[in-house]
Amino acid sequence: QVQLVESGGGLVQAGGSLRLSCAASGRTFSTYAMGWFRQAPGKEREFVAAITRGGIMINYADSVKGRFTVFGVNAMNMVYLQMNTLKPEDTAVYYCAATSTNEGLRVQRQYDYWGQGTQVTVSS
C-alpha cells in the first residue's frame, strides 16, 4: 500500500512559478512510475507529466511542455512538479499518482494510487 500526499499549491499571478511536492509512504519511487494529473472546474482530469521508474523517461502534455518539469528524489520518496510561466488555464486541482507499470503513463486507469490533490490557482 502506498499513500501519496501532495503539497505546494496556492495562488500565484500569471507568469509566476510554483513547485508541487508529492510525498510517499510505503515503497520507494524506485518501484513505481509517478504521474501528475490535474482537474480544472467543470472539466475531466487530464494528464500533465509522468516519470518512469528510475527516472529514465519523462513525458509531458503538450500544454505544459517547456514550462513544467517533473523530477524525483528516490532517497527521500519525493517527486516534484516545477511549474514555471504559469497561465490562468493552469488553474486546477493537481494530483500525483503511482503505478507499478512503466507503460501507458498518460492514462489514468494505469495508476494504482492517488493523492488527495492540491489546488493551484493562477490569476490573470
Side-chain angles (χ1 to χ4, degrees), residues 9-18 67-68 83-91 120-124:
L11 174 63
V12 64
Q13 288 188 331
S17 297
L18 282 174
R67 300 188 298 121
F68 290 12
M83 306 185 296
N84 298 328
T85 319
L86 282 161
K87 305 175 181 180
E89 50 264 43
D90 295 319
T91 295
V120 171
T121 304
V122 184
S123 63
S124 57

Side-chain angles (χ1 to χ4, degrees), residues 1 8 11 14 22 28 31 39 48 58 88 98 102 108 114 121 123:
Q1 189 74 15
L11 174 63
C22 177
T28 68
T31 303
Q39 186 167 21
V48 175
I58 296 173
N102 260 349
Q108 295 182 53
W114 291 83
T121 304
S123 63

